Amino acid sequence: MGLVHTLFRVLDGAGDVAAEAARHILVRAEQAAVARGRFRIVLAGGTTPLAVYRQLAAASADWSAWEVYFGDERCLPPDHGERNSLAATRALLGRVPIPQANVFPMAAELGPEAAAVAYTPLVEAALPFDLVLLGMGEDGHTASLFPGHVIPQGALVIPVHDAPKPPPDRVSLTPRALTATREVLILVTGVGKREALAAWRKGADLPVARIARAGRTIVLLDRASGGDLDPDGLPPDPPRSDDSGK
Ligand code: 6PG
């Protein structure tokens, strides 16, 4: 198999990353709507993407073509302030006319196991996604895939317990699901991410690195998170092995 490449694009600040991410997503959404009549996007949790969601909410798009999934969710009540789905609703989904039937929140309030079982058929029916949006934690986690956690082979959605980033109970798409997509867009901003990005740069087998090397990935990062590193110095992706988890 040929080398699959991760494109690292360094932008000045977090605002530039958000603007470029929003622009890129809108281009992909238009392309997908024209080509296939729909745009299947997996939204990222955490705080980094919120500026992107707010910019998308101010844009015009063929919203009726959008189908919205989530990469992970915290096992909290649906109206809890720390829910990824609520944050996305406040920043984007509640502000644009995406048909409600096309938004697929994870029923994480049921608990990790039940939520994973309930979400699996939805993901199965949606693959391949058009774009998977992800952030990266300070330990190199992405979605709710944390270093050192065992990921069952073959699963698309898994329960997560003992997450080092609260809350401990979560539900997450697996690398197999997150890489079954036309493109992955990873956003990394802020000085807190420098260490993880440098480790990634040195070839550490972090959850985020495993996702990135499995397919077409664009990483948008700012200077504070390590963009002053020579992006050309980042290791090329190793050839994709058979156990890429697909
Ligand atoms: C979550 C996210 C998680 C997040 C990273 C980065 O539920 O917390 O899915 O993977 O993307 O922890 O979070 P920030 O963007 O807030 O730094």
Side-chain angles (χ1 to χ4, degrees), residues 112-190:
E113 280 69 19
V117 167
Y119 211 64
T120 294
L122 284 171
V123 171
E124 228 151 24
L127 297 183
F129 297 119
D130 290 296
L131 190 145
V132 168
L133 183 65
L134 290 169
M136 183 191 74
E138 298 188 1
D139 59 358
H141 79 258
T142 193
S144 287
L145 304 171
F146 292 92
H149 283 214
V150 175
I151 299 168
Q153 280 296 335
L156 291 171
V157 190
I158 54 170
V160 176
H161 296 279
D162 309 320
K165 176 179 181 183
D169 285 350
R170 293 160 166 259
V171 54
S172 182
L173 265 56
T174 62
R176 180 178 166 223
L178 292 169
T179 56
T181 181
R182 287 177 171 79
E183 186 173 59
V184 175
L185 181 61
I186 302 175
L187 310 180
V188 182
T189 63

Side-chain angles (χ1 to χ4, degrees), residues 45-49 72 74 84 135-137 141-143 165 170 193:
T47 57
T48 303
D72 70 328
R74 295 99 179 263
N84 290 329
M136 183 191 74
H141 79 258
T142 193
K165 176 179 181 183
R170 293 160 166 259
K193 310 294 174 74

Side-chain angles (χ1 to χ4, degrees), residues 8-246:
F8 286 80
R9 285 198 55 204
V10 180
L11 301 165
D12 276 342
D16 304 296
V17 168
E20 175 56 19
R23 186 201 64 78
H24 185 86
I25 291 167
L26 289 166
V27 166
R28 292 296 191 235
E30 178 62 22
Q31 289 170 340
V34 167
R36 291 179 291 281
R38 50 162 174 74
F39 175 57
R40 291 184 173 156
I41 183 170
V42 176
L43 295 185
T47 57
T48 303
L50 296 181
V52 183
Y53 300 158
R54 286 191 285 270
Q55 296 207 26
L56 291 172
S60 61
D62 179 2
W63 299 112
S64 65
W66 286 49
E67 293 179 16
V68 177
Y69 300 82
F70 291 84
D72 70 328
E73 186 57 273
R74 295 99 179 263
C75 291
L76 298 165
D79 59 353
H80 191 287
E82 288 298 305
R83 279 276 300 232
N84 290 329
S85 54
L86 183 60
T89 298
R90 286 175 171 161
L92 172 60
L93 304 177
R95 302 180 177 193
V96 294
I98 297 174
Q100 194 59 35
N102 290 4
V103 178
F104 303 95
M106 293 171 150
E109 60 279 7
L110 302 177
E113 280 69 19
V117 167
Y119 211 64
T120 294
L122 284 171
V123 171
E124 228 151 24
L127 297 183
F129 297 119
D130 290 296
L131 190 145
V132 168
L133 183 65
L134 290 169
M136 183 191 74
E138 298 188 1
D139 59 358
H141 79 258
T142 193
S144 287
L145 304 171
F146 292 92
H149 283 214
V150 175
I151 299 168
Q153 280 296 335
L156 291 171
V157 190
I158 54 170
V160 176
H161 296 279
D162 309 320
K165 176 179 181 183
D169 285 350
R170 293 160 166 259
V171 54
S172 182
L173 265 56
T174 62
R176 180 178 166 223
L178 292 169
T179 56
T181 181
R182 287 177 171 79
E183 186 173 59
V184 175
L185 181 61
I186 302 175
L187 310 180
V188 182
T189 63
V191 67
K193 310 294 174 74
R194 281 185 81 86
E195 200 174 315
L197 192 83
W200 180 357
R201 183 171 185 257
K202 293 191 186 87
D205 183 23
L206 299 170
V208 68
R210 183 174 173 190
I211 305 289
R213 67 169 177 254
R216 282 166 46 104
T217 301
I218 296 174
V219 182
L220 297 180
L221 61 142
D222 66 357
R223 296 204 175 287
S225 65
D228 50 349
L229 301 173
D230 169 9
D232 297 335
L234 292 169
D237 295 284
R240 187 161 56 186
S241 65
D242 291 340
D243 69 348
S244 63
K246 286 209 183 238

